[in-house]
Amino acid sequence: MSDARQRTILKVFRKFSNSLGPDTLDFLEQILDAHEIQDSDVESSIETLAKEYNKQDDATMKVSIEVLQKVYERLQDQGQSQVEAEALDPDSHLHFINAFEMPSWHWSIERGTFEKAAVPPTMSGSADSRVSAVRDRLNVIKQCVLRNEHFAPSTLPSRDRDRLVTLKSTKQLLGRAGERFLLLGMLARSKEGKLVLEDTDGSVELDFSQLDGPGDGLFTEGCFALVEGEYTDESKLEIIAIGQPPCESRQTARSIYGHIDFLGKASTSLLDDEKFSVRVQEELSDLHFFFLSDVWLDHPFTLPGIRKMLDHCVENDFIPKVIVLCGNFTSESITHGNARDISRYQDNFDALADLIASYTSITRTTHFVLVPGPLDLTLNAILPRQPILSSLLSRIRSKISKVHLGSNPCRMKFFDQEIVIYREDCMAKMLRNVVGIGVKPDVNSDDLKRFLVQTILDQAHLSPLTINIQPTLSEYDHSLRLYPLPTALVLADKYDRYKITYTGCHVFNPGSFVGSSFVFSTYKPAEINSEEW
């Protein structure tokens, strides 16, 4: 066994934060020799073993030879994968995941990777969990920044290296007035109400007086920003430039953390993802998902509009695999309403159930998902929101066999794709809380849509705001995380509809169903693209 092979083995396991003892290294060498693995295939073969090893509950940082032996035997028993031989069954690869079902993964500074929470999350949370939630957001973004090509220069000497600005922390500013720094931190307010940049080491007051204009994006209180500026004698950072942290593609994140099951529905290898992607394009090219938002059931035109849509599906043999109905399901809030309001709210859902149930050709194969909006009746009013109270949906659950009561947000896993569904008036809320010098003065509506999408994906979080602006359940904050990036993100909003693809993630807003003449969006997994109807 050559030293080159040993270095490859050690490198692969080091990527997963594992270390190898001499016995384990010898065992891996024996496996490679027994199967006559060529040098060019060593890395991929060892990576398969490393990924399977780290999926085991009893896996340790120092690789256990007993656990590794068990993994190797299981892989041998499986034989050749049946992925290619079996016919694609969409239903067996379609999963709906509520925010409260997702496993809780936190960033471990010691291990330099994600670590599963030792205890299940609770609704109440604690002061420590609120701090940990913000720290997790920072650490996830920071490891992406440090891995980005602009912040991780080549080891080869070059003139460009001399001009690179290194990422610093706030504690490194002290006593260095007149020097220029690049910081990564959260925009927040001090006790005196001044805008500061906070990181894990402290905070520094920001001075925007010399800044001509912000970079692309929406900079809100609670979002993380890359800030470049000069530290002054007044202990302020005089900002020269401010920008969003760089976004990391799904493919890059999956290549590093592909062994981690973020959704709790069993992770797949990148090789399987690639095979599924090709087969979905070839064999399921006509499969569609429908997305509707602001389905006001108390509006007289809503049910006729849904009937018209379903009639069109039947007449044209265009039956979607999934229909997602997002709230608000009422045009006015009834959170503090009387018994008559709540009874009328339930009657509207009963009428929806009767309408959908009358289309048996659709209900036989189509899955229906109900996602609550800000005005709907749920057990909690903060993010993530529980599904609509099941007691109000008894007729829907009894008449429609494939109905799913989604949380807000919720997710869909379809083969290799992950689709996040989020109902919130994001645009209005983000614009209300922009800080600093605001947004560029010459922006138009299309720019604002692009800024919103860019900000949410760059922040790797659905709600990049402080908890006093948008309260969240701190121990379920991982369910709002957008890392790795999803394949598609549905930002259901009362704002104008749009569709934008950014860093490989397709983002779209289906618009309000009733207020805009029954508009909705269809998503085609084979093309990873949406179409406005």
Side-chain angles (χ1 to χ4, degrees), residues 474-505:
S474 56
E475 295 194 14
Y476 287 96
D477 193 76
H478 61 278
S479 67
L480 304 175
R481 186 188 298 150
L482 295 176
Y483 187 86
L485 276 186
T487 312
L489 170 61
V490 183
L491 287 180
D493 193 333
K494 65 182 180 183
Y495 193 73
D496 297 342
R497 56 202 314 220
Y498 56 82
K499 62 173 184 175
I500 298 169
T501 298
Y502 178 74
T503 321
C505 177

Side-chain angles (χ1 to χ4, degrees), residues 6 34 40 49 69 93 118 134 143 161 177 234 262 278 289 300 324 329-330 340 373 382 410 429-430 494 508:
Q6 289 186 354
S40 58
L49 282 167
Q69 175 78 34
H93 291 274
V134 179
Q143 53 102 19
R161 290 177 60 86
E234 292 78 24
F262 288 102
V278 172
F289 302 155
V324 178
F329 292 100
T330 173
R340 183 180 301 173
I382 60 179
C410 62
K429 185 165 290 187
M430 294 289 283
K494 65 182 180 183
F508 62 98

Side-chain angles (χ1 to χ4, degrees), residues 107-331:
W107 182 261
S108 169
I109 298 176
E110 293 78 15
R111 294 188 62 186
T113 187
F114 289 94
E115 196 170 55
K116 200 167 187 178
V119 295
T122 62
M123 295 281 284
S124 57
S126 64
D128 287 342
S129 68
R130 284 190 283 275
V131 173
S132 297
V134 179
R135 186 178 292 125
D136 269 347
R137 283 183 56 203
L138 173 59
N139 287 329
V140 168
I141 291 174
K142 189 173 182 178
Q143 53 102 19
C144 293
V145 170
L146 295 177
R147 202 163 38 241
N148 185 273
E149 60 182 356
H150 300 293
F151 297 87
S154 169
T155 55
L156 298 175
S158 71
R159 281 177 290 183
D160 290 339
R161 290 177 60 86
D162 298 332
R163 294 197 294 269
L164 287 173
V165 182
T166 309
L167 203 61
K168 302 290 185 181
S169 73
T170 52
K171 72 177 181 181
Q172 294 173 298
L173 303 179
L174 299 177
R176 300 175 69 178
E179 295 185 37
R180 183 178 294 189
F181 297 91
L182 178 65
L183 305 178
L184 171 66
M186 186 176 75
L187 299 174
R189 294 285 179 186
S190 65
K191 293 179 180 179
E192 296 78 20
K194 297 177 180 178
L195 190 63
V196 298
L197 188 80
E198 287 186 354
D199 61 15
T200 53
D201 294 322
S203 64
V204 60
E205 185 180 339
L206 301 178
D207 178 4
F208 286 86
S209 61
Q210 301 301 313
L211 183 65
D212 294 332
D216 290 354
L218 303 176
F219 297 89
T220 60
E221 187 178 340
C223 85
F224 289 90
L226 283 166
V227 176
E228 184 180 359
E230 185 176 305
Y231 191 58
T232 67
D233 293 325
E234 292 78 24
S235 299
K236 297 180 182 179
L237 190 69
E238 193 175 81
I239 297 179
I240 301 167
I242 182 171
Q244 297 285 339
C247 189
E248 189 171 78
S249 70
R250 176 175 176 82
Q251 185 176 8
T252 301
R254 291 274 291 126
S255 69
I256 302 169
Y257 306 112
H259 61 289
I260 296 178
D261 182 13
F262 288 102
L263 299 182
K265 295 296 180 183
S267 60
T268 54
S269 69
L270 289 175
L271 183 60
D272 283 345
D273 283 355
E274 188 176 341
K275 291 177 181 177
F276 279 138
S277 178
V278 172
R279 296 193 64 195
V280 166
Q281 293 174 33
E282 295 174 349
E283 302 176 36
L284 301 175
S285 59
D286 294 330
L287 189 140
H288 290 80
F289 302 155
F290 285 13
F291 293 90
L292 290 71
S293 181
D294 279 341
V295 185
W296 298 339
L297 298 178
D298 58 345
H299 193 287
F301 295 154
T302 300
L303 291 183
I306 295 176
R307 182 183 296 278
K308 182 179 179 181
M309 180 188 75
L310 298 179
D311 284 340
H312 178 81
C313 291
V314 174
E315 292 167 3
N316 294 276
D317 195 23
F318 186 58
I319 310 298
K321 173 53 64 178
V322 178
I323 296 180
V324 178
L325 303 175
C326 297
N328 298 304
F329 292 100
T330 173
S331 57

